[in-house]
Amino acid sequence: MQATDLLLVGLAGTLTERIHTQAPHVDVVFLPEAVEGGPALRQGWVDVEPGVLGHLDPEIRTQQLTRATLVGIARSGHPLFDGRIDARRFAAADHIGISRLGKRLGPIDSALAQLGLRRRIAVVVPSHTSAMMLARDTDLVALTLANWLPDTTSALGLRTFPIPLDLAPLDLGTAWHPRNSTDPGHRWFRDHLAAAVLAPSGTGDDSSRRTTTS
């Protein structure tokens, strides 16, 4: 399975526990997003890919599982929390960019530009985990998913806040190659993965979530 580190940290415990309860001799191998976006699924290097699905090969099958909201995250004593966090104060803070390819700009920057604002991406790191650690030790602001890993966030001395911009939610789903669609073992694994995405470690139940398949 190929996944971002943010998803992996939230899913790995729940998924492996579910898998090993029913099939104790089945191992799960997590891969980094080295070949995300389709070729790995087509070539058979990866069996399933959860996350925000984009740039997939046309034949790839997908299942939408839930929608997630981006939020800001910073150390609990960050000056941002001294007052109401509006778009101007949000843009004025120094930010951490998260990109394996070193990209600095994204939808947040486009939304800020519409308001005549611009933020400074002071640091770009390749993973969400490193961004959270950096935010813990500095006055830099990072991004994460709402209600994701709340226990870890609290333990690190971090605090989340709504981003004061009109941003579209993120569609989270799973993707796989159609040659595996009817394979009973693959379908069994996808079902457990879907359940783990809907109710990852420490985020509560899945009563308000939904799934759709295409």
Side-chain angles (χ1 to χ4, degrees):
M1 187 176 77
Q2 178 173 259
T4 68
D5 66 316
L6 183 62
L7 285 180
L8 190 157
V9 172
L11 298 176
T14 300
L15 177 61
T16 55
E17 183 177 2
R18 292 180 64 93
I19 294 293
H20 292 162
T21 296
Q22 293 189 16
H25 299 296
V26 171
D27 299 325
V28 183
V29 178
F30 295 94
L31 299 177
E33 290 183 299
V35 282
E36 64 178 324
L41 296 171
R42 173 180 282 179
Q43 297 298 327
W45 303 328
V46 171
D47 294 305
V48 64
E49 180 179 337
V52 178
L53 306 177
H55 304 97
L56 296 171
D57 290 322
E59 78 274 17
I60 298 301
R61 299 289 179 85
T62 64
Q63 180 183 19
Q64 182 180 332
L65 298 174
T66 188
R67 285 186 167 177
T69 302
L70 274 178
V71 294
I73 189 168
R75 66 179 184 87
S76 296
H78 196 288
L80 265 179
F81 297 119
D82 293 340
R84 186 175 71 89
I85 302 176
D86 57 15
R88 190 170 298 278
R89 293 187 68 230
F90 174 73
D94 286 344
H95 290 248
I96 302 170
I98 303 171
S99 171
R100 293 181 302 101
L101 303 177
K103 294 180 180 180
R104 298 169 66 94
L105 304 179
I108 285 180
D109 302 281
S110 299
L112 286 171
Q114 292 180 0
L115 300 176
L117 299 172
R118 182 178 180 181
R119 63 175 179 159
R120 178 192 176 203
I121 308 295
V123 182
V124 179
V125 297
S127 72
H128 291 83
T129 302
S130 55
M132 291 177 71
M133 296 298 182
L134 187 56
R136 178 193 63 181
D137 298 328
T138 67
D139 276 343
L140 297 170
V141 173
L143 302 175
T144 190
L145 298 179
N147 304 314
W148 194 261
L149 302 174
D151 294 340
T152 301
T153 298
S154 177
L156 289 174
L158 297 169
R159 180 177 167 187
T160 62
F161 61 91
I163 297 174
L165 298 168
D166 185 15
L167 300 173
L170 302 175
D171 289 324
L172 297 181
T174 58
W176 66 93
H177 195 274
R179 66 173 168 269
N180 295 316
S181 289
T182 59
D183 180 274
H186 197 280
R187 186 168 59 246
W188 173 84
F189 182 80
R190 294 198 309 269
D191 288 344
H192 281 295
L193 175 58
V197 170
L198 294 172
S201 302
T203 61
D205 62 40
D206 61 350
S207 58
S208 62
R209 321 241 182 157
R210 62 188 178 86
T211 65
T212 59
T213 305
S214 62

